Amino acid sequence: MNKNIISAIKILREESSELYLDREICIESDEITSLDFHRKYVSKNIPVLLKNYISHWPATKLWNSDYFRKIMPNKNVKVALTPNGYADGIAYDPDTKQEYFVVPYEQEMAMSEFLNYLDEKRPGFIPYIQTQNSNLTEDFEELMNDVNLDIDKATEAFGKRPDAVNFWMGDSRAITSMHKDPYENMYCVIDGWKEFILIPPTDLPFVPYKVFPSATYEMINYPASPTFKIQPLCSQPNDDEYSSDKIKWIDIDPLYPDFKKHAEFKMAHRFTVRVEKGDCLYLPSLWFHHVKQSHRCIAVNYWYDMEYDIKYCYFKMLEELCNINNNN
Amino acid sequence: MNKNIISAIKILREESSELYLDREICIESDEITSLDFHRKYVSKNIPVLLKNYISHWPATKLWNSDYFRKIMPNKNVKVALTPNGYADGIAYDPDTKQEYFVVPYEQEMAMSEFLNYLDEKRPGFIPYIQTQNSNLTEDFEELMNDVNLDIDKATEAFGKRPDAVNFWMGDSRAITSMHKDPYENMYCVIDGWKEFILIPPTDLPFVPYKVFPSATYEMINYPASPTFKIQPLCSQPNDDEYSSDKIKWIDIDPLYPDFKKHAEFKMAHRFTVRVEKGDCLYLPSLWFHHVKQSHRCIAVNYWYDMEYDIKYCYFKMLEELCNINNNN
């Protein structure tokens, strides 16, 4: 630990608490102007819940399991399957006695089969449509007319159209582990709710990272008697290639934080916000977020390219300070 | 010097050069919208020259020495007088063999007398109307109808009206030494030109500061045979009160930088921009600026309160890193 760096980080935390972070996530209505949205939130990298912003969209009336069974029962969908609900998260492998960062097993299936799994809520695997490759515009043309293909005031404020529009539907046991994205994110809940835990980028020093080997879930005996196996990306953990198959990921679960292991996480500003049917959350770039959801929650999110501006440059400096501190 | 801190500062400089700083000051016309102005410049803390933005104001047609002699020859005006043109700057006092931060001698006089001094350009003292206490709205009601009392798109973008509107008129020998202000600044030239040297706040590590004792210029034998004397704010330099009469000021002149004394200043990004009659410069909060001007240059500037947002919090952290570095 470097005491000079700690003193600078202490200043950043104190000033952040006092000056730029509110006590709770702000709420605005659809009457906010794009300029106010930019001035009060985007420019300051502050989240805001736009209450009932999309409740007039046809999707909020139409979309649910019954509707999807009716309009696209045989549609082929890509479903992430995991044993524990964590697609893109840390898992302990009893075989190798090691923790890995594991990406989900991806299974194509008919929409009706996916909906059956949701109805059954069977143990053994947890399904989640969460491909995040602009799957709404790429794969779900049946649904595109029920939503807007951008968030009007966000598009005006950011001065650009979204880079990707993603469709999400899944099990209440599915969790998105804490991470951050280099995107401005407009997150809309069509049915059910999502609950976000949010931590600002200025709290990077208090969010513990660790390097994990990367792996994917493999599955055998699907669908009769599905069994998962963690498959490391490289079968020879000690060879040279292995180093490219590691990833730095957050080493704490904000739902059950291990403060004995990571006391510093107590210092992070944690915000919780529930996004309900018809709401849109502005989740600013570089904010850490952890997400849980109601069963069969349906959502659509819009990723807009972030600006690599003065805030980002300062963040890169903070990252370097944290790296130095962790290596000392 | 602390090598860890230097490495973080190096990252900030590299990312700033590559990502957020342009090569030159951008120029926009009066067609820019308040949202574009906010997104492209205010939010990113980037200066921009709004070319001919105020050239339709009556002031740009009316204001000059002749007009002022005609409408307000006997008006009492407060004029800053200095021996060297530097109001609020560093000066060497041969009596005490010490450098001081010196504020100008302030003399009330008739407007016609001030204009005579400008015409004469006499050696011995340099006059400048530069009181910066919202003197346009407080002291010059004769002039208020010739300008707008805010910059419309700035007021929209900032979401507030200006805190102060200042009138400036002075000698080409008068220089504003490099400093920064905690204000968003809209700087309009009514007649003549001003030339700004600008350095971004992220270059704080390369801008040398030093603590100077404070002083004021006193003047004897005004106006017959004016002589200046540097008067320290406290006559007993070693007593306890003295510490409150010191000020941290920038220890370099960007027109004639002493790189032997301050090699680090070479690392600062320096921008030069000339603001001409009818132009308005957006000079963002916390940017270092040094200003010189044409003879009899007339200007009006608008200070808007800055936002104490995430950028400011990061800046405070950078300040702490610089303090640590300088004290090691």
Side-chain angles (χ1 to χ4, degrees), chain B residues 1 6 9 13 199 202-210 250-252 257-270 322 325-326:
Chain B
M1 297 289 258
I6 287 170
I9 285 171
R13 186 181 183 282
I199 294 177
T202 42
D203 278 343
L204 178 66
F206 315 119
V207 176
Y209 272 89
K210 197 176 142 184
I250 293 170
D251 187 34
I252 199 159
D258 181 346
F259 288 128
K260 278 190 191 142
K261 194 171 169 193
H262 294 297
E264 73 276 22
F265 189 65
K266 283 185 192 164
M267 300 292 284
H269 299 84
R270 286 176 48 162
C322 294
N325 211 27
N326 293 337

Side-chain angles (χ1 to χ4, degrees), chain A residues 2 4 7-8 19-20 35 38-39 43-44 156-159 307-308 312-314 317 320-321 324 328, chain B residues 2 4 7-8 15 19 35 38-39 43-44 156-159 307-308 310 312 314 317 320-321 324 328:
Chain A
N2 179 311
N4 292 328
S7 125
L19 296 177
Y20 100 90
L35 176 55
H38 198 272
R39 184 195 318 112
S43 170
K44 297 180 176 181
E156 279 171 43
F158 298 134
E307 294 287 329
Y308 292 90
Y312 180 78
C313 295
Y314 277 130
M317 178 179 73
E320 174 71 5
L321 288 175
I324 293 166
N328 278 356
Chain B
N2 179 313
N4 293 328
S7 127
E15 299 285 355
L19 296 177
L35 176 55
H38 198 272
R39 184 197 317 112
S43 170
K44 297 180 175 180
E156 279 171 44
F158 298 134
E307 294 287 330
Y308 292 89
I310 186 173
Y312 181 79
Y314 277 129
M317 178 180 73
E320 175 70 6
L321 287 175
I324 293 166
N328 277 358

Side-chain angles (χ1 to χ4, degrees), chain A residues 101-251:
Chain A
F101 171 80
V102 196
V103 299
Y105 179 70
E106 198 173 89
Q107 176 70 45
E108 295 209 359
M109 62 183 78
M111 189 68 177
S112 57
E113 189 181 348
F114 166 69
L115 296 169
N116 288 344
Y117 288 144
L118 282 186
D119 289 348
E120 290 169 23
K121 226 180 175 178
R122 63 192 259 185
F125 64 83
I126 297 168
Y128 198 2
I129 295 179
Q130 56 107 47
T131 39
Q132 301 165 61
N133 54 354
S134 205
N135 62 341
L136 186 91
T137 49
E138 299 300 313
D139 302 339
F140 286 95
E141 56 187 30
E142 303 86 345
L143 302 178
M144 276 169 61
N145 291 330
D146 302 334
V147 297
N148 292 354
L149 293 183
D150 70 338
I151 304 295
D152 52 357
K153 286 172 189 171
T155 296
E156 279 171 43
F158 298 134
K160 60 186 109 175
R161 293 191 58 83
D163 208 43
V165 187
N166 301 309
F167 172 85
W168 308 73
M169 182 174 192
D171 194 295
S172 62
R173 295 167 297 174
I175 299 269
T176 303
S177 74
M178 182 155 268
H179 70 288
K180 62 181 163 54
D181 299 308
Y183 286 105
E184 303 286 5
N185 198 341
M186 304 301 296
Y187 210 109
C188 301
V189 172
I190 307 292
D191 201 32
W193 54 262
K194 296 239 176 195
E195 198 169 280
F196 290 75
I197 297 173
L198 301 173
I199 294 177
T202 42
D203 278 343
L204 177 67
F206 314 120
V207 176
Y209 271 88
K210 198 176 141 184
V211 175
F212 295 93
S214 291
T216 54
Y217 280 118
E218 294 297 330
M219 188 187 269
I220 45 178
N221 300 328
Y222 173 87
S225 154
T227 311
F228 285 95
K229 189 174 161 21
I230 288 176
Q231 186 64 48
L233 276 196
C234 176
S235 54
Q236 294 155 288
N238 293 320
D239 74 13
D240 282 350
E241 284 173 62
Y242 187 66
S243 60
S244 65
D245 298 329
K246 289 179 175 174
I247 191 167
K248 242 178 120 173
W249 201 255
I250 293 169
D251 187 34

Side-chain angles (χ1 to χ4, degrees), chain A residues 64-82:
Chain A
N64 57 40
S65 292
D66 291 345
Y67 181 72
F68 292 160
R69 274 186 210 279
K70 201 164 66 189
I71 66 158
M72 48 179 181
N74 301 317
K75 185 184 179 67
N76 221 27
V77 291
K78 286 177 192 137
V79 182
L81 300 180
T82 57

Side-chain angles (χ1 to χ4, degrees), chain B residues 167-180:
Chain B
F167 173 85
W168 308 73
M169 183 175 190
D171 194 296
S172 62
R173 295 167 297 173
I175 300 270
T176 303
S177 73
M178 182 156 268
H179 70 288
K180 62 181 164 53

Side-chain angles (χ1 to χ4, degrees), chain B residues 58-74:
Chain B
T60 63
K61 315 279 181 298
L62 294 171
W63 294 6
N64 57 40
S65 292
D66 291 345
Y67 180 72
F68 292 162
R69 273 187 212 278
K70 199 164 70 190
I71 66 159
M72 49 180 183
N74 301 317

